[in-house]
Amino acid sequence: MSTQIPIVSGAQPTGGHLQEFNTTPLAFLHRAYAECGEVSQFDLGGLRTVLLVGPPAHEAFFRAADEQLSAAQAYQMMVPVFGEGIQYGAPPAIERQQLKMQVQGLKHERMVNYAGVVEAETEQFLRDWPAAGEFDIYDAFTRLTLKTSTHCLLGREFRQQLTEEFAELYHALEDGLAPSSLSNPFQDAERFRARDRARERLEALIGERVAQRRQAGGWEHDMLQVYMDATYNDGRKLTDHEITGMVIWFMFAGHHTSSNTTAWTLLEIARNPQYGERLYAEIDALFADTEELTLKGLREIPLLDGFIREALRLHPPLNAITRRVMSDWHYEGYTVPAGSNIMVSPHISHKLPEYFPAPDVFDPERPVPQNPFVEIPFGGGRHKCIGNGFAILQVKAILSTLLHQYHFELAAPPESYTEIMPALILRPSDPCVLRYRRRVAA
Ligand code: HEM
């Protein structure tokens, strides 16, 4: 006999809770937890969705087999963006092989070069900065991390090709992830047609690069080469369509997640000037013997580490980690029927006072929880983020370079900086302006 899962109040006759969820997703999820506790259910336009909160529920969720709780079925809106046959548009065995190919870009021997690349891109970004001024951190870091991610992961050649056209195509793909894509990503609407045209054009551009490199017989130390050389277990090579999808997948997974983490961390640095003296001293020590950042050096900046970790706790970029229930799933006397979605949300879980005393206080020196299912900005289990090490390295390298040269403070009242989630990722409200002033002679 299973217990009825508590239902969140306020369902509308048409669409259930969909409208509230689409307009204020985080406030809605917090309300669901406050009303119903560890397990709650709501109706997203006919799709029963169950929210699980707290480490024991997270552990059950993340440890479930794909055959029971399917990520692929929950994230079908990504299929037209990445392309059929890539990641969740491919059979699970192929998806796992593709994921292994992606991991090549994040191996230690590659990571050691990335710190210098990110530093050089950040130096270039700072090149025209005057001694003092203001800048919008959301916009700036969105542009900068597109360059750093492309340069590190896809290589120099790709970075040089990062033309206006590439950026526009990439934008059109992002637009294809509007909330309405969750219910049907294949619907006939201009936004989705534009997404499909952008995908086609990108494939033509990448196909040209691949053909040129093959013709020239060249070899580069970058991901394009990894994709070109990779073979599936049966010996088959990736097609241009698949290579394009792998590029888009890697960029999408790492770009906005990293750019927002950079923005949130710098915003918290500006909001919490009481740590300033120690933080700037730590950064200066990093550059004391060398003007070049190293992976090893970046491992030894505990206060900046704490700032990034705490920014990821309070402002986790991904807040609807979802699975589709493939066969009835049981948890603590509840049964979630097949066909439902189940969700865990770091934003809710990271504010549980029993695990994070005074949860709304930003404390970069908070102890790290021992249980891996307490703090989950990178997910957990078999789908846990493979790019977390690279993401942290990137954020640290950008911020150390900035903080070594400039001091930052808020340019507007503290309460005007709020959280918004217009699409899938939590970001600072618009505009999000900080003031800067040069610290050392550049
Ligand atoms: C602060 C930055 C980042 C955050 C907060 C983040 C968060 C996450 C989360 C929560 C998941 C799990 C999703 C789920 O279980 O449904 C995930 C998966 C993934 N992430 Fe990240 N991510 C970040 C950066 C990156 C970067 C830089 C890359 C690549 C370079 C990357 C590549 C991936 C991939 C490929 C997966 C899918 C793994 C799988 O399906 O097995 N991420 N990420």
Side-chain angles (χ1 to χ4, degrees), residues 75 88 96 99 253-254 257 261 321 323 377-379 382-383 385 387:
Y75 297 137
Y88 295 140
R96 288 286 111 185
L99 192 69
T257 45
T261 305
I321 302 177
R323 304 286 184 263
F378 293 107
R382 59 178 292 136
H383 291 289
C385 182

Side-chain angles (χ1 to χ4, degrees), residues 61-62 71 75 87-88 95-96 99 102 105-106 149 153 249-262 308 312 316-323 346 376-392 394-395:
F61 172 94
F62 284 123
Y75 297 137
Q87 200 213 22
Y88 295 140
E95 180 243 319
R96 288 286 111 185
L99 192 69
Q102 301 288 35
L106 303 164
S149 305
L153 299 174
W249 172 15
F250 223 32
M251 291 304 298
F252 263 63
H255 175 219
H256 284 289
T257 45
S258 302
S259 71
N260 278 294
T261 305
T262 314
I308 298 171
L312 280 166
L318 295 180
N319 286 295
I321 302 177
T322 309
R323 304 286 184 263
I376 50 164
F378 293 107
R382 59 178 292 136
H383 291 289
K384 185 168 180 189
C385 182
I386 58 166
N388 59 349
F390 172 66
I392 301 281
Q394 194 176 196
V395 177

Side-chain angles (χ1 to χ4, degrees), residues 6-7 34 56 75 77 79 114 124 144 148 232 284 287 291 352 379 400 421 432:
I7 302 175
Y75 297 137
M77 71 281 189
V79 173
Y114 293 162
Q124 204 188 348
L144 176 59
T148 51
Y232 290 108
D284 291 348
F287 288 91
E291 277 306 307
L352 296 176
S400 323
M421 207 165 94
C432 186

Side-chain angles (χ1 to χ4, degrees), residues 13-333:
T14 326
H17 302 88
L18 186 64
Q19 202 198 348
E20 186 182 347
F21 181 80
N22 278 350
T23 32
T24 49
L26 288 181
F28 174 74
L29 293 176
H30 278 283
R31 183 167 83 75
Y33 175 63
E35 260 184 26
C36 307
E38 188 189 21
V39 186
S40 60
Q41 65 171 314
F42 40 91
D43 169 9
L44 296 184
L47 178 60
R48 180 205 303 260
T49 305
V50 171
L51 173 69
L52 299 175
V53 180
H58 298 161
E59 182 165 1
F61 172 94
F62 284 123
R63 287 198 192 281
D66 269 346
E67 294 70 31
Q68 172 124 60
L69 297 188
S70 165
Q73 291 308 312
Y75 297 137
Q76 283 296 294
M77 71 281 189
M78 304 310 297
V79 173
V81 180
F82 299 167
E84 290 289 345
I86 293 107
Q87 200 213 22
Y88 295 140
I94 295 290
E95 180 243 319
R96 288 286 111 185
Q97 291 171 53
Q98 291 174 343
L99 192 69
K100 275 196 191 145
M101 297 172 196
Q102 301 288 35
V103 169
Q104 299 293 316
L106 303 164
K107 287 204 162 146
H108 181 81
E109 68 262 27
R110 285 177 185 263
M111 295 272 272
V112 289
N113 295 320
Y114 293 162
V117 173
V118 177
E119 185 188 10
E121 287 284 358
T122 311
E123 290 284 359
Q124 204 188 348
F125 161 83
L126 286 176
R127 211 181 35 197
D128 301 325
W129 272 29
E134 292 188 348
F135 79 127
D136 186 307
I137 56 174
Y138 176 78
D139 278 350
F141 292 141
T142 301
R143 277 182 282 114
L144 176 59
T145 51
L146 188 60
K147 291 177 182 165
T148 51
S149 305
T150 318
H151 198 157
C152 291
L153 299 174
L154 301 172
R156 189 172 36 86
E157 197 184 328
F158 227 95
R159 166 66 180 88
Q160 282 159 2
Q161 299 284 318
L162 195 61
T163 54
E164 287 294 313
E165 185 184 10
F166 183 95
E168 268 167 36
L169 294 171
Y170 185 74
H171 259 308
L173 288 174
E174 288 176 325
D175 271 357
L177 283 177
S180 57
S181 69
L182 290 178
S183 47
N184 179 9
F186 300 98
Q187 58 194 283
D188 187 25
E190 178 46 30
R191 173 193 291 276
F192 299 121
R193 285 193 290 275
R195 170 200 67 197
D196 296 343
R197 286 194 300 274
R199 172 77 181 63
E200 254 171 53
R201 175 73 185 134
L202 212 52
E203 185 167 327
L205 288 177
I206 292 173
E208 267 169 37
R209 291 243 59 80
V210 170
Q212 277 167 7
R213 195 179 286 186
R214 286 209 173 107
Q215 221 166 26
W219 193 95
E220 292 275 341
H221 194 66
D222 61 22
M223 282 305 281
L224 191 59
Q225 197 69 48
V226 170
Y227 302 140
M228 286 170 63
D229 295 346
T231 50
Y232 290 108
N233 294 346
D234 65 1
R236 183 174 76 77
K237 282 195 168 299
L238 273 68
T239 61
D240 286 357
H241 173 80
E242 287 171 317
I243 292 178
T244 305
M246 297 287 277
V247 169
I248 303 172
W249 172 15
F250 223 32
M251 291 304 298
F252 263 63
H255 175 219
H256 284 289
T257 45
S258 302
S259 71
N260 278 294
T261 305
T262 314
W264 283 118
T265 307
L266 191 60
L267 182 54
E268 293 296 358
I269 290 171
R271 255 183 191 161
N272 292 278
Q274 69 276 26
Y275 295 100
E277 206 175 307
R278 276 171 56 206
L279 185 64
Y280 286 103
E282 181 180 281
I283 300 296
D284 291 348
L286 185 64
F287 288 91
D289 303 326
T290 165
E291 277 306 307
E292 223 172 79
L293 285 180
T294 62
L295 184 58
K296 185 172 170 296
L298 288 173
R299 290 203 175 120
E300 290 154 11
I301 38 177
L303 190 54
L304 184 61
D305 251 335
F307 263 92
I308 298 171
R309 170 179 276 276
E310 189 70 343
L312 280 166
R313 180 184 73 83
L314 278 176
H315 318 290
L318 295 180
N319 286 295
I321 302 177
T322 309
R323 304 286 184 263
R324 176 67 47 86
V325 182
M326 304 309 286
S327 58
D328 289 2
W329 188 70
H330 306 282
Y331 175 72
E332 294 287 321

Side-chain angles (χ1 to χ4, degrees), residues 129-135 406-409 434-438:
W129 272 29
E134 292 188 348
F135 79 127
Y406 285 91
H407 178 275
F408 295 88
E409 61 190 29
L434 290 188
R435 195 169 290 146
Y436 59 81
R437 136 175 76 77
R438 184 170 288 142

